[in-house]
Amino acid sequence: MDRKKRLFRLIEVYLNDFRGPAIEEMYGKGTKIKIHSISDSVKDKSLLIEAVIILGEIINEEVMDREMADVVIQDALIYFYPEYSIKVMVRWDV
């Protein structure tokens, strides 16, 4: 497994295992967050994260709020990239 895929998996484990109960409480039981891509700019010291929220059993408009995902992803990445600004782009899937 290359370095980038390993980083994706570390972030996903943090999000879905360690922060899993908070994510399931916000988005519904069985919801997972997958990291699709990470683009970095060394010059600007910024990261663009593309994440996919895979919804679980409950799908309604009330859970379609991306703020929780933004917060937990930024919280996870601060450990890996403490000096970078982090921007998150979220997509939804079922």
Side-chain angles (χ1 to χ4, degrees), residues 19-87:
R19 298 296 302 241
I23 290 170
E24 286 188 348
E25 183 178 329
M26 178 70 174
Y27 296 116
K29 186 175 180 173
T31 299
K32 300 286 183 197
I33 296 178
K34 301 284 272 178
I35 303 300
H36 186 264
S37 67
I38 297 177
S39 302
D40 64 329
S41 171
V42 177
K43 180 181 173 188
D44 297 334
K45 287 195 170 188
S46 65
L47 290 174
L48 175 62
I49 311 300
E50 184 180 354
V52 179
I53 300 174
I54 302 170
L55 296 172
E57 300 170 8
I58 300 173
I59 301 172
N60 61 37
E61 291 180 13
E62 293 176 7
V63 300
M64 303 297 277
D65 183 4
R66 57 171 278 174
E67 290 182 24
M68 173 71 166
D70 288 350
V71 170
V72 295
I73 291 170
Q74 289 178 6
D75 183 42
L77 288 171
I78 199 71
Y79 297 112
F80 298 101
Y81 298 96
E83 297 174 4
Y84 280 60
S85 68
I86 300 165
K87 297 175 183 121

